[in-house]
Amino acid sequence: MASVAGGASFCGFCRSGGRSPSIYYSHTLRSPTGVLTCFNLRKYVCPICGETGDNAHTVQYCPANAEAPEHKRNKFMTSTESVLFCGYCYNNGMPSSIFNGHSLRSSTGKLTCPTMRTYVCPNCGARGDRAHSIKYCPWS
């Protein structure tokens, strides 16, 4: 988390990317637990490995970038590591025994979270393989 002398936190990715102060002071790059929270970086697609979303990173932090310094390449987890963590269950206040026991999606993109799979979107009625939260509803 980046901060200035006055203690105000900001997102270093958005600040270095030339975004306005109203944008980069509105959030931080990662949560205190290390979860990527920057909406701009989450949309970025790494041109080297194609990672985006939860695993988004810039070229200098790409684990597949042989030219990046070792300490930067291994700084954050990538989807190739076998760590189970479900952001949906985490964000909805489930205990760690639940959100650390599965992933939201498989490596092929299939929805695997049992909680999300039972959720029915109130906007469009999607459930099961097509389940999503209201935030991600195509009808919103």
Side-chain angles (χ1 to χ4, degrees), residues 3-4 11 23 32-33 35 39 41 51 61 80-81 88-89 91 97 99 107 110-111 114 117-118 127 139:
S3 62
V4 291
C11 175
I23 297 294
T33 59
V35 176
F39 47 89
L41 182 54
E51 287 284 3
Y61 288 95
T80 58
E81 294 175 333
Y88 178 78
C89 289
N91 290 331
S97 60
F99 66 75
S107 60
K110 182 178 179 183
L111 184 64
R117 290 184 63 79
T118 61
R127 67 186 85 202
W139 290 15

Side-chain angles (χ1 to χ4, degrees), residues 67-102:
E67 296 176 19
E70 182 71 20
H71 71 281
K72 287 190 174 185
R73 281 186 285 166
N74 295 323
K75 187 166 184 177
F76 301 108
M77 286 186 293
T78 65
S79 62
T80 58
E81 294 175 333
S82 59
V83 175
L84 296 177
F85 174 82
C86 178
Y88 178 78
C89 289
Y90 173 81
N91 290 331
N92 284 287
M94 302 285 191
S96 62
S97 60
I98 300 293
F99 66 75
N100 283 325
H102 65 280

Side-chain angles (χ1 to χ4, degrees), residues 86 88-89 92 94 104-105 111-138 140:
C86 178
Y88 178 78
C89 289
N92 284 287
M94 302 285 191
L104 179 62
R105 296 190 180 275
L111 184 64
T112 57
C113 172
T115 306
M116 174 62 87
R117 290 184 63 79
T118 61
Y119 179 77
V120 178
C121 177
N123 291 342
C124 68
R127 67 186 85 202
D129 286 341
R130 299 185 45 89
H132 52 260
S133 62
I134 294 172
K135 179 180 177 183
Y136 293 97
C137 181
S140 292

Side-chain angles (χ1 to χ4, degrees), residues 29-45:
L29 181 66
R30 295 188 179 274
S31 72
T33 59
V35 176
L36 181 62
T37 57
C38 175
F39 47 89
N40 288 307
L41 182 54
R42 290 179 63 80
K43 292 186 281 186
Y44 179 79
V45 178

Side-chain angles (χ1 to χ4, degrees), residues 12-36:
F13 177 78
C14 289
R15 185 177 186 190
S16 65
R19 307 273 189 203
S20 70
S22 64
I23 297 294
Y24 64 76
Y25 279 117
S26 70
H27 64 286
T28 57
L29 181 66
R30 295 188 179 274
S31 72
T33 59
V35 176
L36 181 62

